[in-house]
Amino acid sequence: QVQLVESGGGSVQAGGSLRLSCAASGYTSSINAMGWFRQAPGKGREAVARIYTSSGYTFYTDSVKGRFTISRDNARNRIDLQMNSLKPEDSAMYYCAAGYPPTYWGQGTQVTVSS
């Protein structure tokens, strides 16, 4: 089992920045990738960014490319998501996920961007 704890959500005005963090504990040696998903009210869950723990290869959904950066600290079993130039359409509950395909999920942290 893997446990994930997210932090760093909040409210910000458009154009602002937030940094999300996700710390993993438990059977972390089984994790091949970690990433972030988001879900806005009335919409499906969307993959935002992903990083592979061994190679460091990253994936970003098109709408966040150039604005969001995912990074990892393998020694601390932690990933961060730096979100810059935030837009109202980035508002959502953000979930950390471990494994690819995602196997473990965090509880989520709310990000609200006002115009």
Side-chain angles (χ1 to χ4, degrees):
Q1 289 290 329
V2 173
Q3 294 78 43
L4 302 173
V5 177
E6 302 116 330
S7 60
S11 298
V12 67
Q13 289 190 329
S17 299
L18 285 172
R19 189 176 184 88
L20 305 183
S21 295
C22 175
S25 61
Y27 189 42
T28 57
S29 60
S30 66
I31 299 173
N32 60 344
M34 292 182 69
W36 293 92
F37 287 71
R38 66 187 179 187
Q39 187 167 18
K43 295 188 177 181
R45 191 168 291 191
E46 171 191 30
V48 176
R50 181 169 63 245
I51 188 165
Y52 290 83
T53 51
S54 293
S55 66
Y57 174 80
T58 56
F59 157 84
Y60 296 96
T61 192
D62 284 346
S63 62
V64 308
K65 287 180 180 177
R67 301 188 298 122
F68 291 11
T69 303
I70 191 169
S71 58
R72 77 191 195 282
D73 183 339
N74 286 346
R76 292 178 172 82
N77 295 312
R78 167 179 156 171
I79 61 168
D80 294 326
L81 184 68
Q82 178 66 41
M83 305 185 294
N84 298 328
S85 301
L86 282 161
K87 304 176 181 180
E89 51 263 42
D90 294 317
S91 297
M93 185 70 78
Y94 282 69
Y95 297 91
C96 179
Y100 185 74
T103 306
Y104 303 99
W105 296 89
Q107 293 299 306
T109 185
Q110 180 68 40
V111 171
T112 302
V113 184
S114 58
S115 57

